[in-house]
Amino acid sequence: MTTWPEGVGRRILPVTDSTMAEAARRAPDTVGTEWILALDQTAGRGRRGRPWSMPPGNFAASLILHPSEPPQVVALRSFVAALALRDALIAVGADPAALSLKWPNDVLLEGGKLAGILLESLGDGRGGLAHLVIGFGVNLAAAPDAAQLEPSAVRPVSLAETADLVVAPEAFLDALATAYAAHEARFTTYGFGPIRTAWLAQAARLGEVITARLPNDSVTGTFCDVDMEGNLVLETAKGRRPIAAADIFF
Ligand SMILES: O=C(O)CCCC[C@@H]1SC[C@@H]2NC(=O)N[C@@H]21
């Protein structure tokens, strides 16, 4: 049985618009760390403003944090979050060998998209952050209809359909909160180095040719590294190219 991490808050809502929006509303009145789980979302959102649909039984939660590091260091928590999500999936029975991490922050199961992570923050007006919200969406029960996604999107999968595992959102929250607390402690104590190493060990398509689609450009090269700033590094015909933000296509 998983125990809930000490000093961490938890709210479970039957429904909300988006746990990201709910968390942002609550963040100014939240002193420490708090999880918000919703059993349904009416306006779930994904990266780049895409909608995030949520079939019943899927997992939607956001974590409110008040980190004190500079924003570029805070952003490295997308890797912390991905490792925690992987550990939580293993804790509920997923096969570690079937899981991989797709830069910047998807978790794949047998090559299909099982989960996505979204980071949103608010500046404090002094160059730091007032809060960070990390959102986790996991297809526990069912994958969204692929027809609703962009044609080039990674095929969605669910834990129930692909791994034959039935896990309730509340139970998954226990596993994720515990896993996140462990990785957060490692990050704040030892920095990004061990997180980067652990993430690279689980990276999908490392050493293979992939394409990064940027707003006005597309870069194809061999995925050779993630650097200490969290950039994806592609080895291209013109040399090594660090990429801070992009959609990745295999
Ligand atoms: O585009 C992605 O892959 C990120 C998806 C993040 C979805 C989660 S579900 C919980 C939280 N609330 C939201 O509205 N979005 C995030």
Side-chain angles (χ1 to χ4, degrees):
M1 208 186 86
T2 320
T3 53
W4 186 258
E6 207 182 313
V8 174
R10 163 174 45 183
R11 280 174 199 274
I12 300 182
L13 308 173
V15 62
T16 188
D17 47 358
S18 154
T19 59
M20 302 305 287
E22 184 75 31
R25 288 190 290 266
R26 289 189 189 275
D29 302 319
T30 307
V31 179
T33 300
E34 183 170 296
W35 283 92
I36 298 172
L37 171 74
L39 304 179
D40 192 13
Q41 293 188 124
T42 56
R45 55 192 190 231
R47 291 177 66 229
R48 299 182 185 279
R50 296 181 186 113
W52 180 264
S53 80
M54 187 181 161
N58 279 3
F59 181 84
S62 293
L63 172 63
I64 304 170
L65 296 165
H66 298 276
S68 55
E69 306 98 347
Q72 64 274 19
V73 176
V74 170
L76 296 172
R77 282 187 176 75
S78 81
F79 299 91
V80 177
L83 288 170
L85 197 41
R86 178 177 182 275
D87 281 358
L89 289 161
I90 293 167
V92 298
D95 175 5
L99 296 169
S100 57
L101 305 179
K102 177 173 179 273
W103 187 91
N105 42 21
D106 289 344
V107 178
L108 307 183
L109 175 66
E110 295 185 6
K113 178 162 172 168
L114 175 65
I117 297 165
L118 181 64
L119 272 69
E120 294 179 348
S121 57
L122 181 72
D124 64 3
R126 301 184 303 274
L129 294 179
H131 68 250
L132 169 71
V133 175
I134 309 179
F136 298 82
V138 186
N139 302 328
L140 290 180
D145 183 2
Q148 294 172 10
L149 306 174
E150 289 175 12
S152 51
V154 175
R155 146 189 79 92
V157 296
S158 75
L159 196 64
E161 291 153 338
T162 304
D164 205 16
L165 286 170
V166 176
V167 181
E170 295 89 338
F172 192 73
L173 179 62
D174 288 351
L176 181 58
T178 302
Y180 187 88
H183 284 287
E184 172 72 22
R186 185 154 65 135
F187 180 62
T188 52
T189 307
Y190 301 108
F192 185 51
I195 297 290
R196 171 178 167 270
T197 304
W199 191 95
L200 281 168
Q202 308 303 332
R205 307 294 176 122
L206 189 63
E208 296 183 27
V209 174
I210 63 173
T211 296
R213 196 179 293 164
L214 292 82
N216 300 310
D217 195 10
S218 218
V219 184
T220 297
T222 303
F223 172 21
C224 61
D225 202 4
V226 166
D227 67 18
M228 281 300 284
E229 281 74 52
N231 297 308
L232 174 85
V233 184
L234 295 185
E235 187 76 58
T236 73
K238 293 180 184 161
R240 282 163 82 93
R241 170 100 183 248
I243 293 169
D247 283 324
I248 300 302
F249 297 90
F250 300 147

